[in-house]
């Protein structure tokens, strides 16, 4: 996993038409005309025994983990790398990770990924994820929205998509590319036994 400074990242995506929101807590398209997308949202506590991503991280069975993993699986299938992960309103980890593990707020694997970021002094930087690092990406993002209350975003290097991960149990995928939207929608529609809802502006998929 590589890292770049927040300043360099914001300058780069600004040239792609993606900017910080007015409250500085997230990212948005400067021109939101023609934005397409969908949300993953946790509206219920379902039976996860049939989750399609049960094997992605044995022992990690939270709905939020599956939502985040599904988003990164989509990015992997569509080959949208490199992907930049941005903790927009905080650093990646500013709490006692061992305590969070002991209290079962995060897993040991998640703590390991977070600790590695801190040990490298990249707590305030933007992570750059390649195709073979989606597992680490999910373990970096999931505790942000479940335990650390940090709004996060993911953007590919060409600005083809903008995803947001929020503390209100929602993962959003947005794009202004019609072909990319159609490809992502086709992928999502093929998935079965998802433990969360998928919502478009027009209604549920």
């Amino acid at each position: 996993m590589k890292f770049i400074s927040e300043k360099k990242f914001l300058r780069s995506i600004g040239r792609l038409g993606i900017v910080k929101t007015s409250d500085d807590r997230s990212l948005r398209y400067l021109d939101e005309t023609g934005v397409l997308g969908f949300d993953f949202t946790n509206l219920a506590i379902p039976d996860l025994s049939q989750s399609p991503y049960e094997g992605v991280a044995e022992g990690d069975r939270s709905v939020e983990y599956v939502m985040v993993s599904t988003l990164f699986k989509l990015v992997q299938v569509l080959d949208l790398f490199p992907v930049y992960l941005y903790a927009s309103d905080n650093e990646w980890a500013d709490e006692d990770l061992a305590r969070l593990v002991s209290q079962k707020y995060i897993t040991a694997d998640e703590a390991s990924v977070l600790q590695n970021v801190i040990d490298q002094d990249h707590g305030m930087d933007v992570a750059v994820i390649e195709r073979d690092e989606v597992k680490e990406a999910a373990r970096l993002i999931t505790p942000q929205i479940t335990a650390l209350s940090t709004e996060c975003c993911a953007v590919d290097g060409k600005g083809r998509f903008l995803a947001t991960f929020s503390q209100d149990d929602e993962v959003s995928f947005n794009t202004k590319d019609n072909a990319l939207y159609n490809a992502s929608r086709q992928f999502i529609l093929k998935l079965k036994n998802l433990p969360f809802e998928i919502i478009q502006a027009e209604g549920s998929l």
Side-chain angles (χ1 to χ4, degrees), residues 3-15 126:
F3 296 87
I4 64 171
S5 71
E6 179 179 322
K7 183 177 181 180
K8 181 177 180 180
F9 168 72
L10 292 174
R11 186 168 59 246
S12 175
I13 63 170
R15 291 192 292 265
V126 175

Side-chain angles (χ1 to χ4, degrees), residues 31-98:
D31 177 5
E32 296 183 326
T33 304
V35 173
L36 300 166
F38 44 81
D39 301 328
F40 300 161
T41 185
N42 181 10
L43 299 177
I45 305 299
D47 174 13
L48 297 185
S49 62
Q50 299 299 315
S51 166
Y53 293 102
E54 184 70 10
V56 168
E58 186 176 352
D60 293 351
R61 298 168 60 90
S62 73
V63 176
E64 291 81 5
Y65 183 86
V66 180
M67 289 163 61
V68 173
S69 295
T70 301
L71 188 284
F72 284 118
K73 183 65 176 178
L74 168 62
V75 170
Q76 190 176 48
V77 167
L78 298 180
D79 196 18
L80 299 174
F81 298 97
V83 172
Y84 296 82
L85 305 183
Y86 173 54
S88 56
D89 61 352
N90 207 335
E91 58 185 289
W92 288 114
D94 59 357
E95 296 191 35
D96 182 345
L97 297 177

